[in-house]
Amino acid sequence: MTSSMGNNMTFKMASTGKNAFEDFDKRGGMTPGQVADVFTNAASTYDTVWTMRNYKDHIYVAEGVADYFQENQRASVRILDVAAGTGMLAEQLWKMGFRQLDGLDPSAGMMAEAMKKRVYSNYYLEFMDGHTITELDTDTYDCLVVAAGFNTGLIPCAALSEMVRLVKPGGLMCFGVPDARFTEVKEYINRLEPLMGWMEQDGAWQLLDRKHYDDFYDGANPGVVFRYIVSASNVSGNQYMEKLCQNQ
């Protein structure tokens, strides 16, 4: 029975790969709506696939958040989970005592799976792509988290300024990025890390720490969990996009 399930899941993964779920590069030429559809089509088996692949990014991000907030504070900490997907990160945060969790993701299918878990207060069907999300006020959250959101066709560099806007000064941003994304994803090559540094130089946020792990998924694939303390309410993204264009 175990072998049969494994074979079936292998087939599902291969099938969705052809639809750009596993083959990340194929998302490069897709519209945002098409990318959302990729995840909607994979939503029903998403948790099973990534559990079988020993996915840990969400666990490490949750641990970083729990390490920052004292246990007696957690129930009142407002958190936005960006690229929330099926709520795998939110489940971890819930286990650690966090109760004020909102999700944000463009995939209706992923939202449907996530809401079954009853860990989100709100779930916004939105791309975090740099545009102002009018439903969400400036300085709404004490913390913003991302796990598995930095990849081809997902969160672009332009999104960082909007993410900062949503977090109160003094609040935490905690997100994981596999090492390979910095050198293999066109959107991030010579762009994401410089941008993170410029934003710190300009007082948008301050790096608290960066912790390296050897096994984000598949028992390998090293990556970093970054923790930043937000310092500014509003950050002009345009100035950074101009600098990034010059940096190419």
Side-chain angles (χ1 to χ4, degrees):
M1 186 171 181
T2 302
S3 175
S4 175
M5 180 179 178
N7 290 339
N8 288 339
M9 191 54 60
T10 300
F11 173 78
K12 287 178 181 291
M13 289 174 65
S15 176
T16 52
K18 293 175 183 176
N19 291 315
F21 176 56
E22 284 296 306
D23 190 346
F24 305 144
D25 291 339
K26 289 185 178 179
R27 299 178 201 160
M30 289 184 168
T31 66
Q34 288 171 331
V35 172
D37 287 344
V38 167
F39 284 90
T40 288
N41 292 335
S44 64
T45 57
Y46 187 88
D47 286 16
T48 304
V49 168
W50 285 107
T51 299
M52 289 176 65
R53 296 185 63 179
N54 203 24
Y55 168 58
K56 293 184 178 179
D57 181 3
H58 63 310
I59 295 172
Y60 297 144
V61 171
E63 289 174 348
V65 175
D67 177 70
Y68 186 77
F69 292 102
Q70 294 182 10
E71 191 169 350
N72 62 359
Q73 298 177 305
R74 295 177 189 172
S76 61
V77 174
R78 291 200 67 186
I79 299 178
L80 180 64
D81 181 7
V82 174
T86 60
M88 293 181 73
L89 172 53
E91 282 186 292
Q92 295 297 319
L93 291 168
W94 186 274
K95 291 175 184 177
M96 295 172 177
F98 296 96
R99 294 293 181 266
Q100 305 299 318
L101 305 171
D102 289 350
L104 185 146
D105 194 284
S107 166
M110 299 293 258
M111 174 182 174
E113 294 298 320
M115 296 308 286
K116 295 176 185 177
K117 298 175 179 177
R118 300 183 181 276
V119 293
Y120 290 115
S121 301
N122 303 286
Y123 198 107
Y124 301 97
L125 280 178
E126 289 272 3
F127 267 100
M128 181 61 75
D129 59 6
H131 78 283
T132 299
I133 300 171
T134 56
E135 281 188 272
L136 298 176
D137 293 334
T138 299
D139 299 344
T140 293
Y141 294 98
D142 303 298
C143 178
L144 183 150
V145 295
V146 184
F150 286 92
N151 208 334
T152 302
L154 303 183
I155 298 175
C157 292
L160 293 190
S161 58
E162 175 65 2
M163 291 160 71
V164 166
R165 180 185 75 82
L166 297 174
V167 180
K168 301 171 185 177
L172 177 71
M173 285 181 59
C174 183
F175 52 91
V177 186
D179 291 350
R181 303 294 183 264
F182 291 105
T183 58
E184 295 178 1
V185 176
K186 184 178 179 181
E187 170 66 18
Y188 305 145
I189 297 172
N190 296 323
R191 290 168 55 87
L192 183 56
E193 280 199 290
L195 173 58
M196 291 160 66
W198 296 334
M199 289 175 64
E200 183 166 20
Q201 291 170 14
D202 292 345
W205 61 10
Q206 183 177 358
L207 180 66
L208 177 63
D209 56 27
R210 49 185 294 167
K211 190 169 182 179
H212 194 263
Y213 297 88
D214 293 329
D215 57 346
F216 264 32
Y217 59 94
D218 291 339
N221 296 292
V224 177
V225 172
F226 296 89
R227 297 197 300 178
Y228 281 91
I229 306 302
V230 171
S231 306
S233 294
N234 286 294
V235 177
S236 173
N238 291 337
Q239 62 172 318
Y240 295 120
M241 293 307 100
E242 291 172 4
K243 290 181 73 171
L244 286 177
C245 288
Q246 297 169 5
N247 210 42
Q248 289 181 321

